[in-house]
Every structure is written in structure tokens, then in C-alpha cells.
């Protein structure tokens, strides 16, 4: 089945620790995205990538880093600089970034601080 | 500033009681408006995309419409399984940018 796989489903971070969230897609999509969702708030864009080896900051990139070495993969690292990391993280992909490109989402990773 | 506002925040309906959810937007150069359904603890599931004023899309008990300033998601004779949070998002006019999401409307349908 084609889709987007996020892992792990739940993740716990200790103080001062960096953690990496995995996102893999087998839809052959060029573009991938990371969003953060907090209770009572809309999804907010962290980073996005239109093509391999290229990515751009979204609205709330501080404290996060990404890489795009393969078309299928777009991992997100939550660094120790992110002081409030507890949230639900969603990865999405689309065939492109122009108009008429639907974004499809993974099942999410819930990150909590110990 | 580009913005998406959804109302109401929460809506409780009886089974069979039709209603509408609203999504109003201010964006320069709308390239598309998207509706998603999100169940608790899961990722959003795509429902509809609309591109021009006057456009309508239907799927089972759901119908989405679009004007120059807002979109409506009409729910006809809802069932308990329609209970979820419905998210509206717009794609801005600049190429390469992602979606701007509203905060969502949480719908509860009781039998």
C-alpha cells in the first residue's frame, strides 16, 4: 500500500537531548512537509522540501533541523534548543508544490518531555 | 496577513440534524482550498479541494462549497461516525509554499 509512515508513534525526550522523528513515503512525491499541532491550534509549518537536497524554513523552524538526502525520506530532529517540544508532529507529502497538489499526511508522532 | 478562521470551534448535532461548518480566509492569490477530516490521535485525511468561486464537491453526506471569501462544509443527515475535527486549509499564491490551516471545528454527532 502506498502511503506515509511516521515513526515512532510515541517519543519521549529528556532535558538537553536531541531526538529524531522519521518520515518515509512510497508515493513517489517530490515535496515533503513537517507540521506541528498543539491543542486548540491549527497545524503550523516547521520545514518543507520541494526536492532532494533542498529544504526551506517554515513559520516555526527555530529549534528544529531536517535533511532530505533521499526522495523517500524527510527526518526531523528536535534539538535541545526547542524549549517547548511537547506536541503532535505530522509529516505530509505532495506530488509538487504548485497549485492542485494535495498534501497527504502520516499518522503522526506524539512527542513528550520527561 | 494570510489567515484562515473556522467557525464554530465545536458543534454538537443529533443524528440526522443537518448543519454547516464555515471557513473564512484572507489570502493573497488563493491557489486552492482544502478540507480534511482528523480523528483523535491520527493524521488528517483529505476530503476535498476547491479552486475557484462557485465550485462544489460532494462525498456521501458532505458537500463543500467555495466563494471568494469563504468555504462551507455542509453535512446532511449526519451519523455518529461523522464525529471528528474538520480542518480547512488554503494554499497561498506563491509557488513553493505550504498550507495555512485553521484551528478546526470539532463535530460531535449523537444518536
Amino acid at each position: 500500500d502506498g502511503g506515509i509512515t511516521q515513526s515512532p508513534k510515541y517519543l519521549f525526550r529528556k532535558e538537553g537531548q536531541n531526538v529524531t522523528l522519521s518520515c518515509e513515503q512510497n508515493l513517489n512525491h517530490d515535496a515533503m512537509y513537517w507540521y506541528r499541532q498543539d491543542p486548540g491550534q491549527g497545524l503550523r509549518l516547521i520545514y518543507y522540501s520541494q526536492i532532494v537536497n533542498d529544504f526551506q524554513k517554515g513559520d516555526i523552524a527555530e529549534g528544529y533541523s531536517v535533511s532530505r538526502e533521499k526522495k523517500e525520506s524527510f527526518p526531523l530532529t528536535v534539538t535541545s534548543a526547542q524549549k517547548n517540544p511537547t506536541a503532535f508532529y505530522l509529516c505530509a507529502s505532495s506530488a509538487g508544490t504548485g497549485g492542485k497538489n494535495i498534501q497527504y499526511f502520516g499518522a503522526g508522532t506524539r512527542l513528550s518531555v520527561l | 496577513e494570510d489567515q484562515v478562521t473556522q467557525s464554530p470551534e465545536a458543534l454538537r448535532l443529533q443524528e440526522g440534524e443537518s448543519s454547516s461548518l464555515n471557513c473564512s480566509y484572507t489570502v493573497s492569490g488563493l491557489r486552492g482550498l482544502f478540507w480534511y477530516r482528523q480523528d483523535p490521535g491520527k493524521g488528517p485525511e483529505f476530503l476535498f479541494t476547491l479552486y475557484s468561486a462557485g465550485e462544489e464537491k460532494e462525498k456521501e453526506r458532505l458537500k463543500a462549497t467555495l466563494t471568494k471569501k469563504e468555504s462551507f462544509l455542509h453535512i446532511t443527515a449526519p451519523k455518529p461516525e461523522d464525529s471528528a475535527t474538520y480542518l480547512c486549509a488554503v494554499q497561498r499564491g506563491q509557488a513553493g509554499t505550504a498550507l495555512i490551516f485553521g484551528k478546526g471545528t470539532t463535530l460531535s454527532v449523537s444518536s
Side-chain angles (χ1 to χ4, degrees):
Chain A
D1 286 337
I4 301 169
T5 302
Q6 290 188 241
S7 62
K9 188 171 182 178
Y10 299 97
L11 187 58
F12 298 90
R13 193 191 88 167
K14 295 180 181 178
E15 192 86 25
Q17 185 182 42
N18 293 351
V19 293
T20 297
L21 285 60
S22 171
C23 179
E24 303 276 334
Q25 56 98 359
N26 61 5
L27 300 169
N28 199 34
H29 284 169
D30 286 320
M32 297 187 74
Y33 312 81
W34 276 105
Y35 293 90
R36 169 178 171 145
Q37 187 174 35
D38 295 281
Q41 294 205 35
L43 277 68
R44 293 182 290 168
L45 180 67
I46 305 173
Y47 269 98
Y48 67 100
S49 168
Q50 300 178 61
I51 198 168
V52 174
N53 294 321
D54 183 60
F55 49 83
Q56 286 79 41
K57 292 182 179 180
D59 301 316
I60 55 165
E62 186 175 349
Y64 300 97
S65 66
V66 294
S67 62
R68 186 86 187 276
E69 297 176 0
K70 298 188 300 182
K71 186 174 184 178
E72 302 79 20
S73 179
F74 191 40
L76 173 74
T77 297
V78 183
T79 75
S80 57
Q82 172 50 247
K83 297 306 179 187
N84 183 24
T86 297
F88 190 48
Y89 291 86
L90 289 159
C91 177
S93 71
S94 68
T97 55
K100 303 192 178 184
N101 278 304
I102 299 165
Q103 290 186 25
Y104 296 95
F105 286 82
T109 292
R110 188 165 299 280
L111 176 62
S112 302
V113 177
L114 289 176
Chain B
E1 181 186 352
D2 296 336
Q3 196 169 0
V4 177
T5 303
Q6 292 188 245
S7 62
E9 291 184 12
L11 181 62
R12 293 182 178 274
L13 298 174
Q14 291 289 321
E15 184 172 3
E17 180 186 1
S18 301
S19 188
S20 297
L21 283 54
N22 177 262
C23 172
S24 62
Y25 61 89
T26 53
V27 62
S28 53
L30 178 72
R31 300 189 74 177
L33 185 140
F34 301 80
W35 283 99
Y36 288 86
R37 169 189 170 132
Q38 186 175 25
D39 292 305
K42 298 192 176 179
E45 174 190 347
F46 170 74
L47 292 174
F48 303 108
T49 182
L50 303 164
Y51 296 105
S52 56
E55 189 174 359
E56 299 182 352
K57 295 269 180 77
E58 281 189 73
K59 179 181 179 181
E60 296 181 355
R61 295 177 292 282
L62 301 177
K63 179 180 178 180
T65 62
L66 180 65
T67 71
K68 289 186 177 180
K69 295 289 186 184
E70 58 191 349
S71 176
F72 291 94
L73 184 65
H74 306 279
I75 303 175
T76 302
K79 298 182 177 182
E81 52 262 42
D82 294 321
S83 298
T85 295
Y86 291 86
L87 304 174
C88 173
V90 298
Q91 186 165 18
R92 291 174 279 199
Q94 300 168 9
T97 56
L99 300 176
I100 305 170
F101 281 84
K103 295 181 179 181
T105 293
T106 300
L107 173 66
S108 300
V109 182
S110 55
S111 57

